[in-house]
């Protein structure tokens, strides 16, 4: 599967942005899809994941209640709606996918299919 991230941009603290991940291939619905982000430093932080059929989602604690991940399997897209943004959300956001269970997504970085990153910048 090939992934294409889009969206992001610049927002003020308290504002909202969204990032989307579009996938090619007819088997998109067979993949759990999620997002990592990378601020300063080499490590990517898990943000959110949604299961293949959309019935399971998981978020990192710092975005719980503010971010919402959803998927549209007809359009082969996964969207991360980001609300109540803070400067700490500033990062490059990467979408990724796995044919494995969504519960394994966060710890399966070496086995993920990655899209390119998209920048999210939140000003104070």
């Amino acid at each position: 599967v090939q992934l294409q991230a889009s969206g992001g941009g610049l927002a003020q603290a308290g504002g909202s942005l969204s990032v989307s991940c579009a996938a090619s291939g007819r088997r998109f619905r067979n993949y759990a899809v999620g997002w990592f982000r990378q601020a300063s430093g080499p490590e990517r932080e898990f943000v959110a994941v949604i299961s293949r059929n959309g019935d399971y989602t998981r978020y990192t604690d710092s975005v719980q209640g503010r971010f919402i991940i959803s998927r549209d399997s007809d359009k082969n897209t996964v969207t991360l709606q980001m609300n109540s943004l803070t400067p700490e959300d500033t990062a490059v956001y990467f979408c990724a996918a796995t044919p494995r269970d969504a519960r394994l997504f966060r710890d399966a970085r070496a086995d993920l299919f990655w899209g390119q990153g998209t920048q999210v910048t939140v000003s104070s």
Side-chain angles (χ1 to χ4, degrees), residues 30-34 49-52 71 96-102 105:
N30 293 336
Y31 289 82
V33 181
V49 63
I50 188 166
S51 62
R52 286 169 284 191
R71 70 186 298 158
T98 179
R100 304 173 71 186
D101 192 285
F105 178 88

Side-chain angles (χ1 to χ4, degrees), residues 43-98:
E43 187 167 347
R44 294 182 183 180
E45 176 194 24
F46 165 76
V47 179
V49 63
I50 188 166
S51 62
R52 286 169 284 191
N53 63 6
D55 65 346
Y56 170 85
T57 58
R58 182 177 182 179
Y59 301 88
T60 193
D61 288 346
S62 63
V63 309
Q64 183 75 46
R66 300 189 297 120
F67 289 12
I68 301 172
I69 190 169
S70 62
R71 70 186 298 158
D72 185 336
S73 293
D74 290 336
K75 297 181 179 179
N76 278 5
T77 58
V78 169
T79 298
L80 183 68
Q81 177 65 40
M82 304 178 289
N83 303 315
S84 301
L85 287 163
T86 73
E88 289 69 36
D89 295 316
T90 295
V92 178
Y93 284 69
F94 295 87
C95 65
T98 179

